[in-house]
Amino acid sequence: MNPVSEQQAGEQSGEVLRRHLRILEALLFASDVPLRPSDLAPYLGEGVDIPGLLLRLQEVYAERGVNLVRRGEGWAFRTAEDLGFLLRREEHETRPLSRAALETLSIIAYHQPATRAEIEEVRGVATGKGTLDLLMEAGWVRMRGRRRTPGRPVTYGTTDAFLDHFGLERLSDLPGLDELKGAGLLSGRLPADMQIPLPLDGALRDDEDPLDPADLGDLEPEDEET
């Protein structure tokens, strides 16, 4: 290959890279939810290194007013952390979660996959009907599967929307127990010797069975076999 053709190849390669980055930028900017590489792949064709492109685009936006951040398996543009205060005046006032809902959400986050009975055991009180419904309607909690124990109770876990709302890249970024108590997210009813476990983030555990897809539309959070 002569020098001219090498230069042309380099220019073409650079142009393809810029085009791919622009496509990712447009798709992520237009989406109100984090997008996974599998969501982006149809727009870029086969053989494209999407994870590598996302990391490159993240570098481009590292010092800007908006940053490209990872939320679980998804990616999204979000306001830079040091500029978040500028947008507080635009936030709509929302009804805060009850203490029971906050405790339930925290326990699910740290103990997932967790059943309703396990949540109640940690809290020391019964979980009122509707608490799990509320968290699921918010999009922060999902039904994962069914535990392979008598009654086959439903197991619960958090979602990518939970990570996005609380500004977490992965579950391992969750704050420690002392931070949670200091923020008022956990009450004094919790056992004094409670330890923060490592939450499971991903596929079903060995002691879980998948939910029947045909039942997902009708299955309620409190609908556990007895």
Side-chain angles (χ1 to χ4, degrees):
M1 181 179 291
N2 59 54
V4 174
S5 60
E6 288 181 357
Q7 179 180 359
Q8 290 175 338
E11 291 175 351
Q12 292 175 355
S13 177
E15 181 62 29
V16 171
L17 173 61
R18 287 190 291 273
R19 182 172 182 274
H20 285 166
L21 290 175
R22 292 183 68 226
I23 291 173
L24 290 180
E25 184 179 33
L27 292 171
L28 291 165
F29 181 80
S31 177
D32 58 354
V33 296
L35 298 177
R36 302 186 178 197
S38 58
D39 301 322
L40 301 165
Y43 300 92
L44 297 175
E46 297 181 0
V48 177
D49 180 17
I50 296 178
L53 288 172
L54 288 168
L55 290 175
R56 185 152 186 167
L57 191 61
Q58 185 180 48
E59 293 179 359
V60 172
Y61 277 86
E63 301 299 327
R64 298 189 181 180
V66 292
N67 300 150
L68 181 60
V69 298
R70 185 171 180 174
R71 296 292 183 256
E73 296 299 319
W75 293 78
F77 281 118
R78 294 293 181 261
T79 303
E81 290 187 6
D82 61 323
L83 299 178
F85 71 95
L86 295 173
L87 302 182
R88 288 176 185 169
R89 69 183 64 180
E90 304 297 335
E91 293 179 353
H92 297 288
E93 183 177 354
T94 58
R95 181 180 178 182
L97 291 177
S98 66
R99 177 171 293 276
L102 286 171
E103 289 183 359
T104 299
L105 178 61
S106 299
I107 292 168
I108 290 175
Y110 285 95
H111 288 260
Q112 59 187 298
T115 66
R116 181 160 58 91
E118 290 167 345
I119 296 169
E120 293 175 346
E121 181 179 0
V122 174
R123 291 190 65 226
V125 296
T127 300
K129 181 173 176 58
T131 299
L132 286 169
D133 303 65
L134 176 65
L135 295 174
M136 293 179 67
E137 288 174 2
W140 296 343
V141 168
R142 65 185 176 93
M143 291 180 288
R144 290 174 46 90
R146 286 189 180 273
R147 184 68 49 79
R148 293 178 185 172
T149 56
R152 301 186 66 247
V154 172
T155 57
Y156 300 95
T158 54
T159 65
D160 285 351
F162 165 83
L163 297 177
D164 189 30
H165 182 83
F166 291 97
L168 304 172
E169 181 174 324
R170 55 180 67 88
L171 286 175
S172 58
D173 294 331
L174 284 166
L177 182 61
D178 291 339
E179 294 174 275
L180 288 173
K181 287 183 176 179
L185 296 180
L186 295 177
S187 73
R189 290 195 298 268
L190 292 174
D193 60 349
M194 176 184 171
Q195 300 295 317
I196 290 294
L198 180 64
L200 176 69
D201 183 15
L204 294 176
R205 208 166 61 177
D206 291 341
D207 62 351
E208 290 180 284
D209 286 322
L211 294 168
D212 185 345
D215 295 335
L216 288 177
D218 301 322
L219 187 61
E220 296 294 335
E222 302 295 334
D223 180 22
E224 299 181 359
E225 297 180 8
T226 56

